[in-house]
Amino acid sequence: QVTLKESGPVLVKPTETLTLTCTVSGFSLSNLRMGVSWIRQPPGKALEWLAHIFSTDEKSYITSLKSRLTISEDTSNSQVVLSMTNLDPMDTGTYYCARMQRVGASWFGFDYWGQGILVTVSS
Amino acid sequence: DIQMTQSPSSLSASVGDRVTITCRASQSIINYLNWYQQKPGKAPNLLIYTASTLQTGVPSRFGGSGSGTDFTLTISTLQPEDFAIYYCQQSYSTPLTFGGGTKVEIK
């Protein structure tokens, strides 16, 4: 049974750094066919993909936030971590982690999602 | 970056109606197009991947078509549980991008 679960602070002050953890089970992060993305959704707005990791050497980021984001993985603990620096109230929203599979160079959809964590940026 | 544009942004329909949602990519994404359904307070749920492949467990009234830049999600006979927001997403290249969503409401 595949599951993903997000954890981290729910209230962060402006200019601080946010660190979110996605703990997965039912599949291995060492499997290079499996990758994990972070996706966010401001209240009442659309989904926005932030970052993805297939392995320590295969990471990708949204262009507009690339300088503020770092994604990493701890395969021994089955965790994917997202760090976002210099938070702003506009970063308020629900943050999801989700799994995507690939075959060769073909990436497929996000087939499993975490429940999401609502992060509020406010002083 | 590849831009994904969905239309309409919202629609009203009745139970039993046939519903069509369109997604257009700013450049060819071949068939690397996925569709999701999201209900209030819940994570999105994958409906269709690679434009037309139904995810396991998704009812057959959902269908996808298209290639290149133009794609369609069709719900053949709308059911009460289908009222939700639908998103398209391209997985052709990074950065991955989502459409703005289409809200399907009860008429």
Side-chain angles (χ1 to χ4, degrees):
Chain A
Q1 178 190 1
V2 173
T3 65
L4 300 93
K5 186 170 184 179
E6 305 89 352
S7 60
V10 296
L11 180 63
V12 185
K13 290 182 169 54
T15 74
E16 289 186 340
T17 295
L18 172 68
T19 299
L20 295 173
T21 300
C22 177
T23 303
V24 310
S25 64
F27 70 99
S28 172
L29 294 176
S30 300
N31 184 338
L32 296 183
R33 285 189 51 215
M34 310 284 182
V36 173
S37 275
W38 284 95
I39 297 150
R40 72 177 180 181
Q41 187 170 38
K45 296 190 176 181
L47 300 165
E48 180 178 53
W49 176 84
L50 298 177
H52 190 85
I53 187 166
F54 272 114
S55 70
T56 301
D57 296 326
E58 292 188 79
K59 306 172 187 179
S60 51
Y61 297 95
I62 184 173
T63 303
S64 59
L65 297 173
K66 191 172 183 177
S67 63
R68 298 173 52 205
L69 296 173
T70 302
I71 192 169
S72 61
E73 64 177 14
D74 177 354
T75 54
S76 60
N77 286 313
S78 298
Q79 294 179 330
V80 174
V81 177
L82 180 75
S83 294
M84 178 183 290
T85 61
N86 194 24
L87 285 190
D88 181 272
M90 295 284 286
D91 295 313
T92 292
T94 299
Y95 286 71
Y96 297 100
C97 57
R99 186 185 83 165
M100 179 176 277
Q101 298 190 65
R102 68 177 175 184
V103 176
S106 300
W107 295 26
F108 302 107
F110 294 111
D111 56 355
Y112 288 92
W113 295 65
Q115 63 189 22
I117 181 170
L118 176 60
V119 178
T120 301
V121 182
S122 174
S123 54
Chain B
D1 299 2
I2 298 174
Q3 309 302 317
M4 306 301 294
T5 304
Q6 282 182 242
S7 60
S9 56
S10 65
L11 64 90
S12 295
S14 300
V15 172
D17 284 353
R18 181 181 182 88
V19 168
T20 299
I21 298 168
T22 297
C23 180
R24 175 165 288 175
S26 59
Q27 66 183 73
S28 176
I29 57 171
I30 308 178
N31 69 335
Y32 292 104
L33 190 282
N34 311 305
W35 289 99
Y36 302 86
Q37 176 193 67
Q38 187 179 33
K39 295 183 178 179
K42 299 293 187 181
N45 181 47
L46 178 64
L47 298 175
I48 289 169
Y49 61 94
T50 54
S52 60
T53 305
L54 205 62
Q55 174 70 347
T56 302
V58 173
S60 59
R61 62 180 180 273
F62 290 94
S65 63
S67 65
T69 60
D70 294 318
F71 301 87
T72 299
L73 172 69
T74 300
I75 309 172
S76 59
T77 308
L78 198 65
Q79 297 299 303
E81 59 268 30
D82 300 338
F83 292 96
I85 300 176
Y86 294 84
Y87 293 96
C88 62
Q89 175 252 327
Q90 64 85 14
S91 52
Y92 175 73
S93 67
T94 57
L96 306 180
T97 43
F98 287 90
T102 296
K103 186 173 185 179
V104 177
E105 298 177 297
I106 302 172
K107 182 183 283 185

